[in-house]
Amino acid sequence: MSTTVDTSFAPVTFSEGAAKELYKLKDQQEISEDYGLRVGVEGGGCAGMNYVLGFDQKKEGDQEFFIDGIKVFMNKAHQMYLMGMMIDWQDGLNSRGFTFVNPNATSTCGCGTSFSA
């Protein structure tokens, strides 16, 4: 079964703004404690892969992390694409939403949610 991992070994990090927004979303949507934030990848998008980010229940094959007090679920197979990534929150006039700073991405597209590794 999955293991809980210390935050010092978590594959991704959150900026201060992203953590604040995630706490706000969890509170506004009244997300239960059974749910965690799913961070992952899926095939598709204009560059080949899309980021997955949303609250979900734990599934078989997930590892569980606590990052800045936020329960995070990630399929172990996705770690090779996401290791070292920072999730940020932009709240500006020209852009608003989560952004992904991924050192493993060899190319990205203009949408900001699609990449290739």
Side-chain angles (χ1 to χ4, degrees), residues 5-14 39-40 63-67 72-76 78-87 101-104:
V5 179
D6 184 72
T7 58
S8 61
F9 299 105
V12 300
T13 59
F14 301 127
V39 179
Q63 287 192 296
E64 182 175 337
F65 303 93
F66 286 90
I67 305 169
V72 176
F73 301 140
M74 181 183 295
N75 185 296
K76 190 173 183 174
H78 297 188
Q79 287 184 26
M80 64 187 264
Y81 300 109
L82 303 175
M83 186 64 69
M85 181 175 76
M86 183 189 66
I87 299 171
V101 181
N102 187 346
N104 304 302

Side-chain angles (χ1 to χ4, degrees), residues 44-51 81 102-109 113-117:
C46 41
M49 299 182 95
N50 283 323
Y51 294 109
Y81 300 109
N102 187 346
N104 304 302
T106 56
S107 67
T108 59
C109 83
T113 62
S114 183
F115 73 103
S116 62

